Amino acid sequence: MTLPYDDEDPISIEKYARTLLNRTLREVYQASQTYNMGARGALGQAVEKLHFKYQPNNIAAPDFPKAGLELKVTPIKTLKNGELVAKERLVLNIIDFMVEHSKSWEESSFWQKNKRLLLMFYLHHDNAAIYDLYFRLIGIWDYPEKDLLIIKNDWKIIVNKIRNGEAHLISEGDTMYLGACTKGGGHGGDFRSQPFSSELAKQRAYSLKKKYLDIIISTWRKDKRLNDIEPIVKNVKDLSNEKSFEQLVIEKFAPYIGKSPTEITKALGVKINPNAKNFFSTLSLRVLGVKTKKVEEFEKADITLKTIRLKHNNMPKEDISFPYFKYKEIVEETWYESTFRSYLEKKFFFVIYKFNKKGELRLAKVMFWNMPARDIDSYAKLVWERTVEQINNNKAGDLPKKRENYACHVRPHGRNAKDTDETPNGVMLVKKSFWLNSKYIRDQILDKSID
DNA sequence: GCATGATCATGC
DNA sequence: GCATGATCATGC
């Protein structure tokens, strides 16, 4: 059968893909309802069959092997402020723990299949048949060289966990752009064996983080929000196989360890209002050489920059809060797919200051941190489950306290006591959220380098 | 000195 | 007006 495009030529394929831009499959193909409408991935399969005229496959090579292109059909949505963002992460191929560990980067299943993506973003609609969804952005995505260095390092982190017999301890927070997300069995229910440990590990697939997709979308749309974002890595040569992004960032702070915020400001030769509430975060941005409000790499990797001030006994002055939860929504969640768990799987960048004996603040240390998978599925899980149980038992007024759990607790988090939310039992109660305990944070950051 | 409850400041 | 991150106040 003659194809309506040249399957050896990526540009021809991209051009042909774009004929679906701002259209639906039904408009183009008068599609019947033959295919499974609701199934996940059904639209992708329909695009392969109806539009590209090939049978969906399950091979290790890209979908268009001769052109070296992997086709991905993935949803976007519009936020209340009109911004267009990815609806979810982009799930790529499943990782075969038994095989992947023996591969080099070049031979890896990720690189073999996904080195060049043909992305077709469609606008998500809750109740629409797959034939009635509109394609809004279509194009080939070539990872910028700088991104590729970070992705390559991400891949090493994932594979090293397998090599260390820790496939069961992989967390999306371990990596920056390339994640290893759970796949199958209701997300986290499908277990596989791993080569260097007898522990079963959740089946995982490579994925591109949602925030990484957001930047692809913004880039293609030339969104204004890109003006607020500036990269730390100005030049590809800033990174190498020997120097990861994290190391580069830590090096940028190294000259200022032991210095006061004022001294750092002076040394940088910048003017920042020391009374502004965002003084510390602005100072960190300037140390990183970023003049705008946001760091590109942090945005794409969904890394939260947090300033922590340690008291003289190394205890952080404050606990770390998360957004409040809605009582009626949290009881409908499962732990594994809970909002709280998704917050905990993110990476943090801690800029840690410490009060010295005279009560003066000095930069003590910077570090990237994400909550170890073990802690997430033990301490945090217990607190979350107890919280749901109490709310369900009409005891939303008595949720896990700080002394009850080593890592986290629940406490009010509204504008004031009158800022309330309705419980499943119809009672109005002050808004609450999960918090990470200062003591737990202390133990996570404690190191001989702080004294 | 810490746990707990409460509120502030900022930005959208 | 509200969400969110940051911080304060009180009492044990």
Side-chain angles (χ1 to χ4, degrees):
Chain A
M1 183 172 119
T2 317
L3 294 169
Y5 52 90
D6 176 357
D7 70 345
E8 295 183 8
D9 176 15
I11 302 304
S12 162
I13 296 170
E14 184 186 38
K15 203 175 157 192
Y16 179 69
R18 285 209 173 117
T19 59
L20 283 179
L21 206 55
N22 295 318
R23 306 183 77 184
T24 69
L25 284 180
R26 199 188 301 281
E27 285 172 14
V28 180
Y29 294 104
Q30 290 82 45
S32 63
Q33 308 266 340
T34 337
Y35 302 113
N36 186 356
M37 281 181 33
R40 262 176 120 71
L43 179 57
Q45 293 190 6
V47 168
E48 290 177 321
K49 288 186 202 170
L50 281 174
H51 193 58
F52 288 105
K53 325 286 184 200
Y54 74 79
Q55 285 302 311
N57 62 58
N58 188 18
I59 55 171
D63 294 318
F64 300 98
K66 293 179 200 161
L69 272 190
E70 172 72 4
L71 174 67
K72 285 288 160 191
V73 178
T74 190
I76 51 178
K77 63 176 183 180
T78 315
L79 297 180
K80 281 176 198 149
N81 63 12
E83 218 172 275
L84 216 54
V85 295
K87 184 169 172 282
E88 52 203 46
R89 61 171 75 76
L90 182 67
V91 182
L92 307 169
N93 60 300
I94 287 177
I95 306 168
D96 184 340
F97 296 136
M98 306 308 274
V99 173
E100 197 74 352
H101 68 88
S102 62
K103 307 268 182 168
S104 66
W105 157 255
E106 288 289 339
E107 305 161 340
S108 71
S109 65
F110 165 75
W111 189 239
Q112 285 300 312
K113 193 164 175 63
N114 305 292
K115 64 178 73 162
R116 221 175 172 202
L117 302 176
L118 172 60
L119 297 176
M120 300 181 70
F121 290 104
Y122 65 90
L123 193 60
H124 168 79
H125 194 288
D126 263 338
N127 300 312
I130 56 170
Y131 306 103
D132 297 319
L133 295 165
Y134 282 92
F135 294 92
R136 293 298 187 206
L137 286 167
I138 298 174
I140 292 176
W141 178 254
D142 284 309
Y143 310 97
E145 216 178 324
K146 288 191 283 186
D147 291 9
L148 212 44
L149 287 165
I150 287 174
I151 288 171
K152 198 168 160 181
N153 193 60
D154 287 338
W155 179 81
K156 277 190 209 161
I157 290 168
I158 294 167
V159 168
N160 279 338
K161 279 220 159 166
I162 304 171
R163 288 172 182 157
N164 291 334
E166 295 180 332
H168 57 296
L169 296 178
I170 292 172
S171 163
E172 287 205 73
D174 293 343
T175 52
M176 288 187 57
Y177 304 161
L178 182 68
C181 68
T182 56
K183 179 163 173 137
H187 286 280
D190 195 350
F191 287 85
R192 298 292 153 106
S193 46
Q194 54 175 316
F196 303 113
S197 165
S198 56
E199 292 248 15
L200 290 179
K202 288 163 190 145
Q203 172 172 269
R204 285 181 186 269
Y206 289 115
S207 62
L208 290 176
K209 302 260 181 93
K210 179 190 131 47
K211 289 278 194 168
Y212 186 81
L213 295 186
D214 287 348
I215 298 290
I216 296 178
I217 294 165
S218 294
T219 305
W220 282 358
R221 284 167 47 89
K222 301 184 174 64
D223 282 346
K224 278 193 199 131
R225 62 186 220 99
L226 292 175
N227 297 342
D228 294 337
I229 301 174
E230 189 184 334
I232 291 171
V233 181
K234 315 281 189 209
N235 193 310
V236 174
K237 294 192 185 97
D238 293 346
L239 297 179
S240 65
N241 283 335
E242 288 71 41
K243 194 192 285 182
S244 69
F245 175 76
E246 296 199 2
Q247 285 167 316
L248 173 73
V249 168
I250 289 165
E251 276 179 20
K252 292 210 182 261
F253 277 89
Y256 306 105
I257 300 292
K259 294 202 174 352
S260 73
T262 319
E263 287 168 341
I264 299 172
T265 312
K266 274 189 190 147
L268 286 166
V270 295
K271 280 196 179 133
I272 312 169
N273 174 9
N275 300 317
K277 206 164 174 183
N278 61 0
F279 169 72
F280 285 103
S281 84
T282 307
L283 185 58
S284 295
L285 291 175
R286 299 301 175 265
V287 169
L288 291 167
V290 169
K291 294 176 199 69
T292 53
K293 285 186 267 180
K294 291 174 175 175
V295 176
E296 181 183 313
E297 293 88 348
F298 285 12
E299 284 299 300
K300 288 200 278 201
D302 204 2
I303 296 171
T304 307
L305 189 156
K306 200 155 268 292
T307 307
I308 294 177
R309 289 171 303 158
L310 301 181
K311 294 188 275 188
H312 194 246
N313 61 3
N314 284 329
M315 186 72 92
K317 264 194 86 204
E318 313 289 348
D319 305 306
I320 293 177
S321 71
F322 294 97
Y324 81 93
F325 52 76
K326 293 201 165 71
Y327 297 108
K328 288 201 271 196
E329 287 177 9
I330 191 170
V331 296
E332 298 298 326
E333 292 181 337
T334 61
W335 159 246
Y336 204 77
E337 292 179 271
S338 65
T339 311
F340 182 39
R341 197 176 185 289
S342 74
Y343 290 146
L344 296 178
E345 277 215 291
K346 288 190 198 177
K347 203 186 262 303
F348 289 87
F349 177 59
F350 291 152
V351 179
I352 304 160
Y353 292 86
K354 184 175 170 177
F355 290 101
N356 66 15
K357 282 178 183 146
K358 293 180 199 160
E360 303 159 334
L361 216 47
R362 295 286 183 270
L363 181 64
K365 182 185 183 178
V366 298
M367 63 185 284
F368 286 89
W369 180 79
N370 60 289
M371 194 166 182
R374 259 196 197 105
D375 293 351
I376 294 178
D377 286 309
S378 56
Y379 300 113
K381 185 182 182 197
L382 273 175
V383 168
W384 184 89
E385 286 176 342
R386 179 76 182 147
T387 298
V388 170
E389 185 191 348
Q390 287 291 88
I391 297 171
N392 276 329
N393 290 334
N394 201 11
K395 290 178 186 161
D398 180 20
L399 300 181
K401 296 187 188 309
K402 201 172 185 177
R403 70 164 84 90
E404 296 172 39
N405 187 283
Y406 169 52
C408 42
H409 66 279
V410 177
R411 84 172 197 264
H413 193 177
R415 286 190 302 286
N416 54 46
K418 288 177 188 133
D419 193 12
T420 57
D421 182 56
E422 192 178 9
T423 69
N425 296 289
V427 182
M428 296 307 288
L429 211 61
V430 64
K431 288 174 181 166
K432 292 182 188 174
S433 78
F434 293 100
W435 299 67
L436 287 176
N437 299 349
S438 51
K439 198 179 288 179
Y440 174 70
I441 298 298
R442 177 199 65 189
D443 293 349
Q444 289 292 310
I445 64 184
L446 209 55
D447 187 282
K448 289 189 178 70
S449 62
I450 297 180
D451 52 30

